[in-house]
Amino acid sequence: MTQPLNLDEQVFVRNRNLLFSVAYRILGSAADAEDAVQDAWIKWSAADRSQVADPKAYLTRIVSNQALERLRSTQHKRETYVGPWLPEPILTSADTADSVTGAESVSMAMLVVLETLSPLERAVFVLREVFDFSHAEIAEAVERSEAAVRQAAHRAREHVQARRPRFAADRSRQRAVTERFFAAATGGDVNALMELLSPDVTLWTDGGGKVRQALLPVVGAGTVAAWFAAIGTVTYQGVEPADMNAELVEINGGPGIVFSGPGRVIATVTFDFDGDGRITAIHNVANLDKLLAVADGTARSLGTR
């Protein structure tokens, strides 16, 4: 029989989802976020918990520090990555999208912007802007002075504001455009795709050197439309068109598409939109190592509480 959890285990389990939410936003990788959460559990288990006044804040500080250390250790790997490096997509539950802040902060578009920050700036931005930590709390979490944290927060906020998408269609329109894109792509309708794409739309493809993908961004509505219209006519990663399955799902707080073949997930596609609902950017992740969280089939709640 399964032994009941003790009080300390209950505290950790109750906050586990929050810890993953923090770590994932800092790292952009579900696998690394899970490792950071596991490291937090080890430290929590070894800590003198009788001295912990606020377990939730204490655990969040631990996982933030663990995530920051992991982010620093992976910097070189990301800088030498073959082709564009995109965040690891995850399936999200409806409540993630209920909060505008929660949905935007976990979107592929935002995670791509966060990737351009230094590790410290990224951790500070996530804790301050998404989880509303005070500068003093963040200083303790990342083991820096409060003055250094304030400077990092200012730099990160300016950097993100200059690069984040300035327009966003409402969620119902995003969903409708995604559904139309889905129908046009699976039907090979180039003209319908062209109607949905901004003239200067950019397609980013992440194969990590393991899957044949474009090593540079694909730019322009005509080129991008032709790329997706060919999906139903060519063999992709050894999967014949007749064996390819496409499904509309919730990915990173917004509508997306999962492509799969017999027994495996092949790729995910997510979108950025302008104020008129046209698609301005597409993120296509096909590196199989980054699709494990999607293949698992578990939709995560990435709330900020």
Side-chain angles (χ1 to χ4, degrees):
M1 295 179 62
T2 302
Q3 294 294 319
L5 299 177
N6 63 37
L7 183 58
D8 294 325
E9 291 172 332
Q10 290 176 27
V11 169
F12 187 84
V13 170
R14 187 163 58 246
N15 289 286
R16 196 181 196 289
N17 191 68
L18 173 64
L19 301 184
F20 179 86
S21 297
V22 172
Y24 177 72
R25 286 174 170 90
I26 293 175
L27 288 160
S29 163
D32 288 341
E34 287 287 9
D35 287 343
V37 172
Q38 184 59 31
D39 289 343
W41 162 247
I42 293 171
K43 287 186 173 294
W44 171 250
S45 300
D48 180 2
R49 294 177 295 279
S50 65
Q51 301 300 310
V52 178
D54 185 343
K56 180 179 177 180
Y58 182 83
L59 284 166
T60 306
R61 288 196 297 271
I62 292 176
V63 84
S64 300
N65 190 266
Q66 293 300 311
L68 180 56
E69 289 182 9
R70 284 186 172 275
L71 185 59
R72 288 185 178 126
S73 69
T74 60
Q75 281 297 100
H76 178 70
K77 182 178 178 181
R78 297 186 184 190
E79 289 168 358
T80 57
Y81 194 78
V82 178
W85 189 97
L86 293 179
E88 188 176 317
I90 55 176
L91 302 176
T92 48
S93 55
D95 62 336
T96 301
D98 287 343
S99 162
V100 173
T101 299
E104 182 188 19
S105 66
V106 79
S107 69
M108 295 294 276
M110 178 59 77
L111 293 178
V112 167
V113 172
L114 293 184
E115 193 63 24
T116 62
L117 299 174
S118 73
L120 177 62
E121 289 169 348
R122 181 169 184 166
V124 169
F125 181 88
V126 168
L127 293 174
R128 179 64 181 161
E129 301 298 324
V130 182
F131 293 93
D132 200 28
F133 271 47
S134 70
H135 291 110
E137 290 171 324
I138 298 171
E140 184 177 357
V142 301
E143 299 176 349
R144 291 289 189 280
S145 69
E146 188 171 339
V149 163
R150 287 183 180 277
Q151 289 178 349
H154 178 72
R155 290 194 305 269
R157 190 181 307 111
E158 285 195 335
H159 186 97
V160 171
Q161 287 176 347
R163 289 164 176 78
R164 78 198 315 169
R166 285 174 169 74
F167 305 99
D170 63 69
R171 288 195 53 78
S172 60
R173 181 177 290 184
Q174 290 182 21
R175 179 74 183 186
V177 172
T178 303
E179 289 174 348
R180 290 172 61 195
F181 183 96
F182 177 85
T186 54
D189 190 336
V190 174
N191 291 331
L193 287 168
M194 290 285 289
E195 293 177 1
L196 302 172
L197 301 173
S198 170
D200 57 353
V201 62
T202 302
L203 166 64
W204 303 85
T205 64
D206 180 344
K210 301 178 180 181
V211 175
R212 187 176 181 183
Q213 292 285 80
L215 297 180
L216 296 174
V218 179
V219 181
T223 308
V224 172
W227 174 290
F228 280 99
I231 285 176
T233 64
V234 298
T235 299
Y236 182 68
Q237 294 189 36
V239 178
E240 297 290 338
D243 296 325
M244 183 81 72
N245 181 60
E247 180 183 5
L248 276 171
V249 295
E250 191 86 5
I251 300 178
N252 287 77
I257 303 172
V258 172
F259 292 94
S260 58
R264 62 190 175 105
V265 172
I266 295 171
T268 61
V269 174
T270 53
F271 309 91
D272 297 350
F273 304 89
D274 65 17
D276 296 322
R278 290 187 303 180
I279 296 169
T280 58
I282 303 174
H283 299 108
N284 171 210
V285 178
N287 181 345
L288 300 181
D289 292 341
K290 291 188 175 183
L291 297 174
L292 299 177
V294 172
D296 177 67
T298 301
R300 295 176 179 272
S301 172
L302 294 178
T304 58
R305 294 282 181 252

